[in-house]
Each structure stands twice: as structure tokens, then as C-alpha cells.
Amino acid sequence: MPDLTVMRRHYQHEGLAEDQLAGDPFRQFARWFHEAVEAGVVEPNAMVVSTADAEGLPSSRTVLLKGYDPRGFVFFTNYGSRKGTDLAANPNASLLFPWIGLARQVVIGGRVEKVGRDETAAYFRTRPHGSQLGAWASEQSSPVADRAVLEQRYADLAARYPEGEGVPVPPFWGGYRVVPRTVEFWQGRENRLHDRLRFVAEGDGWRVERLCP
Ligand SMILES: Cc1cc2nc3c(=O)[nH]c(=O)nc-3n(C[C@H](O)[C@H](O)[C@H](O)COP(=O)(O)O)c2cc1C
């Protein structure tokens, strides 16, 4: 068993200074996202989404970021899943990009809204045929007796919608857009004196504050 108390990396990364920061969090995110891609981070668009249910009980899971622009950050999922029922009761979420290889993380907090059905349909059509069927086959987050039940559902759907045939968008499936209120850029530095610069929405613009590490 490795000794976890001595497992730590020594960060010697370049810092993130106020005068280097882009004017808004979307452009800053674009820069860092590009750098994560260039650095070969595995699935750089994988992010941890945290939600809370009506009682305030939190839960987290990884999903893939499928788009972002000044309106917010978009992912797709099953609206009946645990995250879906959480968001119906409490439309707030936190997104976390753990770009560990670069000693970076981005943490976004904001309100969540469903994307329009046209936007969902446009994305659904870009998914491989098998993923489209998979979205129909899975009552995401519900218990299932065994794997065979899922495979049978998938086979029935594949018979109904053979490859090349249009698969309709499941009504229970679609996108969420997280409209950020805060976006924090964290850069690991020497001696645990990390840089933390946080954009906070203010009126039509953004205020930047530095947080203690
Ligand atoms: C790398 C990775 C990417 C994932 N991407 C998605 C995704 O884009 N959408 C999704 O619904 N689930 C995705 N999942 C599965 C979720 O983590 C989760 O198991 C599922 O959405 C059910 O979550 P819930 O029961 O908390 O609602 C992904 C998992 C991993 C590990």
C-alpha cells in the first residue's frame, strides 16, 4: 500500500497573473482549453458536474462538455437521471475541469437551464447511430435487473431503427446549459502558493478577484 501522506507533486508551473487574464471567462477558458488539448490531457472536455437535490444532498459525476459560448457551458444527458431530477428541483450546478497534468483546474458555478429542442436535435444527429440507440435504451440512473435487459432493449431498438435510418431524439434526453455566475481559474504554484483568479458576474460584465490558495 503506497504511503498517501508522502504522495504529492512539486508544482513549478508558470503563474496566472491578473494582467495576463482574458477580459471574460469564456475567452480565458478557450485559452486554457486549447492548452489542455495541446498538452495531450486525456478527454480535456471531461468535467465533474455537481448538483444537489431538494434536500440539499449533493452528488457528482463526470460528463462531457459539448459546447460553450458567452451563454454558458453545455452538456447532454438523460433528463430523468439523478442529475436531471436534482436540476428540476434545484437548477444550480458546479462544473469542475480537473486538468491535473497541467496543475490546473477550472471551477464554474451557475444556474442551469435546458437547451432548446432544436439545439438538442442538432447535437443528437451528430452522435453515432449506436449512441443514439443507447440513449433510448437506458433509463439512466434507474436500477436494472441485469445487463441482458439492457442488451435486449438495445437489440429491439436496433431492429426497429437499422443503421442509416433516422433515430428520433428521445423526449427524456437533451442538453443543459450552465450559465456561469463565477468561474475560477486555479494554477498550481511553488510552495502551495497557487494562483486563484475568479471571475464574478456583475451587471453585464465581470469582476475579477484573487483568492488565497
Ligand atoms: C469520461 C466520462 C464521460 C461521461 N460523459 C457523460 C455525458 O456526457 N453525459 C451523461 O449523461 N453521462 C456521462 N457519463 C456518465 C456519468 O458520469 C454518469 O454515470 C451518468 O450521467 C449518470 O449520472 P447520475 O446518475 O448522477 O445522473 C460520463 C462518464 C465518464 C467517466
Side-chain angles (χ1 to χ4, degrees), residues 10-16 32 102-105 185-196:
H10 181 58
Y11 296 148
Q12 279 180 310
H13 295 267
E14 265 184 51
L16 179 65
W32 271 25
L102 296 174
R104 285 179 176 175
Q105 68 179 349
F185 293 88
W186 186 100
Q187 173 69 67
R189 301 285 305 274
E190 259 186 301
N191 301 323
R192 295 322 192 229
L193 292 184
H194 315 302
D195 286 324
R196 299 179 64 188

Side-chain angles (χ1 to χ4, degrees), residues 89-103:
N90 176 2
N92 291 287
S94 164
L95 306 177
L96 185 145
F97 292 84
W99 294 327
I100 310 297
L102 296 174

Side-chain angles (χ1 to χ4, degrees), residues 43 46 59-66 75-78 81-84 140-141:
E43 297 215 68
S59 61
S60 302
R61 76 289 292 159
T62 310
V63 302
L64 296 179
L65 178 71
K66 286 294 167 181
F75 65 93
F76 291 88
T77 193
N78 186 310
S81 64
R82 170 153 189 198
K83 71 185 97 45
Q140 195 177 52
S141 316

